[in-house]
Amino acid sequence: KAGVTQTPRYLIKTRGQQVTLSCSPISGHRSVSWYQQTPGQGLQFLFEYFSETQRNKGNFPGRFSGRQFSNSRSEMNVSTLELGDSALYLCASSLAGGSGSGETQYFGPGTRLLVL
Amino acid sequence: GNSVTQMEGPVTLSEEAFLTINCTYTATGYPSLFWYVQYPGEGLQLLLKATKADDKGSNKGFEATYRKETTSFHLEKGSVQVSDSAVYFCALVTQGGSEKLVFGKGTKLTVNP
């Protein structure tokens, strides 16, 4: 079974631009979560989607948004990029989750975003 | 709120040495506990997990026991290999709550031949 895939793997943008990252979950998985990883803040939860609905959200500004499609694929968008948005963005999928089920979340390789 | 504290390292060991990486947590409710590993340039891979008190998770020679009385989930391996060099993250998710994983800061392990 194919793992979680993320595209693109690397991105370079300039301040003020916007960016869209894509995540394809493991087949049959319906929950997709996004995390930001930086050296200073570590791994931080952005949001989780299930059945095309945002189910949970972390403490990030409104410039960070996402969506999920009917095939469970998810995208996240960052508008008006800032230097501090440079990070590794990780996507994770699980079967259904919900209510802190403790299901394993499987991570993709990440998209490394550099904002200049 | 929920939080995870782990020794930040870096930790440097010789091959075949014993490894312990400490992890303690604060959580409301009854969390599930995880250890993830990140190899250079890659995403996170689940190493092991435990979903209730006294459960022991194990994989690839690594073990961790869910200790509710000490709110701990320490990672151990009896004999490390050079290929174990990576960053290790302890994490929790609160059962009955959000699916959000809360991570520790990570511990970088380097194993020398």
Side-chain angles (χ1 to χ4, degrees):
Chain A
K1 191 181 267 191
V4 178
T5 58
Q6 293 187 245
T7 56
R9 292 293 310 276
Y10 303 93
L11 264 180
I12 300 176
K13 293 286 187 179
T14 56
R15 277 182 300 174
Q17 287 187 309
Q18 77 165 13
V19 67
T20 298
L21 312 182
S22 180
C23 171
S24 292
I26 291 171
S27 177
H29 285 193
R30 297 171 63 194
S31 170
V32 174
S33 297
W34 289 88
Y35 294 84
Q36 182 196 64
Q37 185 178 24
T38 60
Q41 299 300 316
L43 282 151
Q44 295 184 287
F45 173 79
L46 281 155
F47 27 67
E48 183 217 355
Y49 286 86
F50 177 78
S51 290
E52 302 178 63
T53 300
Q54 187 181 87
R55 188 159 63 177
N56 293 294
K57 188 177 188 307
N59 296 323
F60 278 81
R63 301 185 296 107
F64 292 81
S65 63
R67 59 178 175 169
Q68 186 181 34
F69 302 94
S70 59
N71 62 357
S72 294
R73 190 177 70 85
S74 177
E75 290 181 346
M76 68 163 281
N77 183 275
V78 187
S79 62
T80 319
L81 283 166
E82 301 177 358
L83 295 179
D85 297 333
S86 295
L88 180 67
Y89 290 89
L90 293 163
C91 163
S93 75
S94 62
L95 277 168
S99 300
S101 62
E103 277 182 2
T104 298
Q105 293 186 37
Y106 295 87
F107 283 80
T111 294
R112 188 164 295 281
L113 172 64
L114 177 62
V115 181
L116 302 176
Chain B
N2 300 329
S3 66
V4 174
T5 302
Q6 63 177 107
M7 56 187 285
E8 293 192 19
V11 175
T12 303
L13 296 173
S14 298
E15 207 165 22
E16 299 183 4
F18 184 85
L19 169 70
T20 299
I21 301 177
N22 290 335
C23 170
T24 57
Y25 67 88
T26 302
T28 54
Y30 302 95
S32 294
L33 302 173
F34 305 82
W35 277 100
Y36 280 88
V37 59
Q38 187 174 36
Y39 298 100
E42 297 184 12
L44 301 175
Q45 297 178 25
L46 177 70
L47 185 57
L48 52 85
K49 73 175 190 180
T51 57
K52 62 182 188 295
D54 300 325
D55 267 1
K56 178 187 281 188
S58 61
N59 185 28
K60 299 181 182 179
F62 291 90
E63 293 183 340
T65 301
Y66 187 142
R67 301 285 189 202
K68 187 178 176 184
E69 62 277 11
T70 55
T71 62
S72 65
F73 193 55
H74 304 321
L75 182 68
E76 296 182 336
K77 187 176 186 183
S79 177
V80 294
Q81 306 300 312
V82 172
S83 57
D84 295 327
S85 298
V87 181
Y88 292 80
F89 293 92
C90 184
L92 68 81
V93 67
T94 304
Q95 295 179 30
S98 162
E99 278 306 301
K100 176 180 84 170
L101 279 164
V102 176
F103 287 92
K105 292 289 189 183
T107 301
K108 183 176 181 180
L109 170 66
T110 301
V111 180
N112 295 318

